[in-house]
Amino acid sequence: MATEGHDVTLVYNHMPKTGGSTIKMMLAKVVRNFRKRNENYQFEEEDFAPNTFRVTSIRSPCQYYRSLWTFGSRGGGSFHKQMVHRGYEEYYGSKAPYDSARDLAKFEKWLQVVGSVYQDRLQRKLLNKALGNQTIASSSARNIDCWVRTENMREDLQTCLKMFESRGGLVDWEAFEIYKDAHKNPSDHAKCHLYFNKARKNLVEEFNKEIFENFQFDDCCSGAGMKGNTVVRQRKH
C-alpha cells in the first residue's frame, strides 16, 4: 500500500482494447509521477514498491471480443497479425460495420478459435511475477488498487485519481477538467448486442468464466458489472 504523505507514483497497466490509449493520454496530463506498462508488457518489480498506486482497465467481455475482432477486420493490431500468420485471416469481417450474416458467421468461427484470449491476457497483465501462480481473483485483489471500466471511463478514472491523491499522489485537477472528455479512438462497429446471438454469447461466457465470476457482469455486453468487486478498493495483504 502506498505510504501517505509521500509523493506516490501511479502505474497504469494497459490492457489492450479497454480504452487504454485515452486513459494513458489523460494520466500523462494530470499525474506528476506517472508510469505506464503498454499493451504487451506486464508489471515489473519496481511497480510493487511501497509508494506505488496501480491502476488497470477492464471491459465487458462481449464488448472486448467485438472490439478485438472488428479492429482486426480492418487490419489493425498485433493479435490480427498473429491470427493471419496462423492461417485464420478468413475468419475476419469483410465490410464495416461487419454485422452482415456472412461476417457474423466468420465472427462465430473466430470466437471458437481465439477462445479464452481475454481471460488469458488479463491474467498475465495482473500478475506479480514474484508471487508465482495467481488466479484473476487473487491477482486483482492483491495487485490492483483501482479499476477503470471502459464503459464508465471518466467517472471511474476520477474516482481512481481521488484515491491516488488520498495516498499522497499529486493530481492536476485543472488539467483533468480540460482532458476529461478526451477524444476516444474511432471505431467502425455497430452496437455490441447486434454481434451476439445466444450461441456467440455462450461461447464468450464459457471461455471467460473467471472474469464473469470475479467481476459479476450483469450481461455480456453490459458495463454495469463488478458488483462483487468495488471499482476502487485497498489491496489485500
Side-chain angles (χ1 to χ4, degrees):
M1 181 186 297
T3 304
E4 295 183 9
H6 292 75
D7 195 2
V8 181
T9 297
L10 189 152
V11 183
Y12 174 66
N13 199 336
H14 180 179
M15 177 68 186
K17 310 311 296 176
T18 61
S21 296
T22 299
I23 294 171
K24 286 187 294 188
M25 183 278 293
M26 292 180 66
L27 290 174
K29 298 289 186 182
V30 306
V31 174
R32 191 178 82 173
N33 285 355
F34 169 58
R35 182 162 65 238
K36 61 186 177 183
R37 297 298 177 198
N38 286 326
E39 292 94 325
N40 295 322
Y41 293 87
Q42 296 174 263
F43 284 123
E44 297 293 341
E45 184 178 354
E46 63 178 333
D47 300 329
F48 295 95
N51 288 333
T52 57
F53 183 86
R54 295 184 293 277
V55 177
T56 194
S57 43
I58 192 167
R59 190 173 197 167
S60 56
C62 281
Q63 297 236 33
Y64 178 87
Y65 280 91
R66 175 203 58 172
S67 180
L68 186 62
W69 180 74
T70 56
F71 187 50
S73 292
R74 66 174 192 262
S78 59
F79 186 74
H80 170 258
K81 291 180 182 178
Q82 294 171 24
M83 291 292 286
V84 171
H85 182 72
R86 292 170 59 193
Y88 293 114
E89 185 173 12
E90 63 183 303
Y91 290 170
Y92 283 95
S94 302
K95 185 178 179 180
Y98 314 111
D99 61 350
S100 67
R102 181 181 179 186
D103 277 349
L104 291 178
K106 294 180 180 181
F107 181 42
E108 190 163 324
K109 292 179 180 178
W110 179 88
L111 286 171
Q112 293 169 343
V113 170
V114 302
S116 59
V117 61
Y118 184 26
Q119 184 165 285
D120 296 341
R121 277 182 159 187
L122 184 61
Q123 187 163 1
R124 286 195 299 271
K125 292 295 282 182
L126 298 179
L127 187 67
N128 178 349
K129 288 177 279 189
L131 298 178
N133 294 331
Q134 299 147 69
T135 64
I136 286 178
S138 63
S139 294
S140 61
R142 293 178 63 92
N143 301 340
I144 305 300
D145 290 294
C146 190
W147 291 91
V148 177
R149 293 167 293 181
T150 308
E151 299 84 359
N152 200 45
M153 184 185 296
R154 183 177 64 183
E155 293 79 5
D156 285 356
L157 189 56
Q158 184 173 17
T159 303
C160 288
L161 288 171
K162 287 180 178 179
M163 188 174 185
F164 169 65
E165 189 175 52
S166 75
R167 303 278 186 90
L170 298 179
V171 179
D172 185 341
W173 289 108
E174 290 184 3
F176 180 81
E177 288 301 313
I178 294 172
Y179 294 103
K180 66 181 181 181
D181 295 315
H183 178 67
K184 298 179 181 179
N185 285 339
S187 61
D188 51 9
H189 50 63
K191 292 185 180 299
C192 179
H193 71 273
L194 296 176
Y195 295 87
F196 289 93
N197 58 14
K198 185 176 181 180
R200 293 177 210 120
K201 187 179 293 187
N202 286 344
L203 281 172
V204 173
E205 293 175 352
E206 178 66 25
F207 286 130
N208 297 273
K209 287 181 178 179
E210 197 172 350
I211 290 180
F212 279 95
E213 290 171 1
N214 195 48
F215 298 103
Q216 298 188 0
F217 285 100
D218 292 334
D219 179 79
C220 194
C221 278
S222 171
M226 301 181 76
K227 290 178 180 177
N229 288 295
T230 53
V231 179
V232 180
R233 60 189 171 193
Q234 294 187 357
R235 292 193 295 273
K236 297 177 181 177
H237 296 275

